[in-house]
Structure formats: C-alpha cells, structure tokens
Amino acid sequence: MHTVPALNIDMNYCRRCGSAFVQQNKHVFTCANNHVIYANASPATAAIIVNPANEVLVIKRAIEPGKGAYDLPGGFCDGAETLEDATKREIAEEVGITSDMYTELKFVCSGIDNYDLAGEVLAVCAAVFYVKLHNYVTPKPDDDAAEAFFVPLTAVQPEEFYFPALQKALAIIKRQQS
Ligand SMILES: [Zn+2]
C-alpha cells in the first residue's frame, strides 16, 4: 500500500528548445519561446484475467517499485500505443497468454497511481480491463512477473495489491460478482 500524491512532475527545461520555463499553471509549462508543454499522468494498463473456474491470475512483481508485492499483468503504454494494444502486449510478455485465448477486453475503471522510477515519482493513469480465458492455461511468468498463479476471485484481497488502481478495479469486480 502506498499513498498517491498530487501530480508533481519534476520539469525544468523546455523539451523543444532547451530554455528554462518562465511560467507554470498547474500542469501547463511555458518557456521563453512560448512553447507550451503539458505534464500529464503517464498512461498504463492492467488486466484482471479470469479462468473458467473464476480464478484471477495474480503475479508477484519481479522489480521495484513494489518488488515481491501482488500485481496484475500490465504496464506502461509504449509510445503512441492504445490502451487495448498495450494490455494485450503486456499480458503476452508477462504471462505468455495471447489475445486469441481470452474474450474481448472489458473496461473496468481507471485510477491514479504513483510510480517510483529512478528517484522520480511519476503520476500514472492506469486503465484496468477484465477478460475471461476460453480455457484453462498455465501462465508462464516472465519480464516484470516473478511468479504467476490463480487465486479464486472470492479469496482475492484487493488491499494486498500494490497499486491503488488495481485495488479499486478488483473491488468493483468482486462487488459485481457477489
Ligand atoms: Zn521552448
């Protein structure tokens, strides 16, 4: 568990011309050459993957932040990647499950997380999707996932997950299915 601070991006120079910013209005920065730079939360995704026995695929994080904590497959969007494409790519990378093996992505909710990256706290806007596996599969943990295993939805404790956006999404799914 960790708390989420307000968006607070550490930015001193214009990425277009390299000059110092002369004005900051909340998340909008303006340099001496009138370049306007928006500092928004970084888009990321995660997936609640459920098997035919209504068990949720849970992973343990292999890396900081939150190394060893419970997580769901997911991660940052790469460049100009859609949330859906990022979700499918991360699922394939982290647990070896491809999009032909599950139903269409169903949006659950989004939430703001903070993410400690090399000493900087990034604000992340995480979108969480829900999918059902067509058949039983054995996940192959890789990349950011140290372990991957199924937990009955009824036994999932949302507060045990590292990121608040995932806690919120798991609580919604549990409420819908209780
Ligand atoms: Zn500039």
Side-chain angles (χ1 to χ4, degrees), residues 14 17 31 35:
C14 175
C17 69
C31 79
H35 296 139

Side-chain angles (χ1 to χ4, degrees), residues 9 15 22 30 32 38 48 60 63 72 82 91 95 98 101 108 113 120-121 125 130 139 142 156 161 164 170 174:
I9 287 179
R15 64 171 171 74
V22 294
T30 309
Y38 288 82
I48 298 172
K60 272 194 174 178
I63 57 165
L72 296 172
T82 66
I91 293 172
V95 288
T98 51
M101 297 159 80
V108 180
D113 293 327
E120 184 185 20
V121 180
C125 181
Y130 173 90
D142 199 357
V156 166
F161 286 73
L170 287 164
K174 280 184 72 101

Side-chain angles (χ1 to χ4, degrees), residues 13-21 30-37:
Y13 298 100
C14 175
R15 64 171 171 74
R16 294 183 61 188
C17 69
S19 69
F21 288 115
T30 309
C31 79
N33 292 316
N34 276 322
H35 296 139
V36 178
I37 308 293

Side-chain angles (χ1 to χ4, degrees), residues 55-109:
E55 296 170 325
V56 178
L57 181 50
V58 174
I59 65 172
K60 272 194 174 178
R61 291 182 59 77
I63 57 165
E64 296 292 354
K67 188 175 175 181
Y70 281 4
D71 200 357
L72 296 172
F76 287 101
C77 294
D78 281 350
E81 186 178 43
T82 66
L83 294 166
E84 291 89 338
D85 287 345
T87 306
K88 292 172 188 172
R89 176 183 50 73
E90 290 284 353
I91 293 172
E93 286 174 5
E94 293 186 351
V95 288
I97 295 173
T98 51
S99 61
D100 57 315
M101 297 159 80
Y102 50 80
T103 56
E104 215 171 298
L105 302 182
K106 209 170 96 184
F107 179 69
V108 180
C109 70

Side-chain angles (χ1 to χ4, degrees), residues 8 13 17 24 31 40-41 45 49 75 85 90 93-94 106-107 110 115 123-124 126 134 140 149 156 165 167 172:
N8 183 21
Y13 298 100
C17 69
Q24 182 186 352
C31 79
N40 294 324
T45 76
I49 303 168
D85 287 345
E90 290 284 353
E93 286 174 5
E94 293 186 351
K106 209 170 96 184
F107 179 69
S110 63
Y115 193 92
V124 174
H134 300 308
K140 299 174 199 69
F149 46 91
V156 166
Q167 298 173 7
I172 289 171

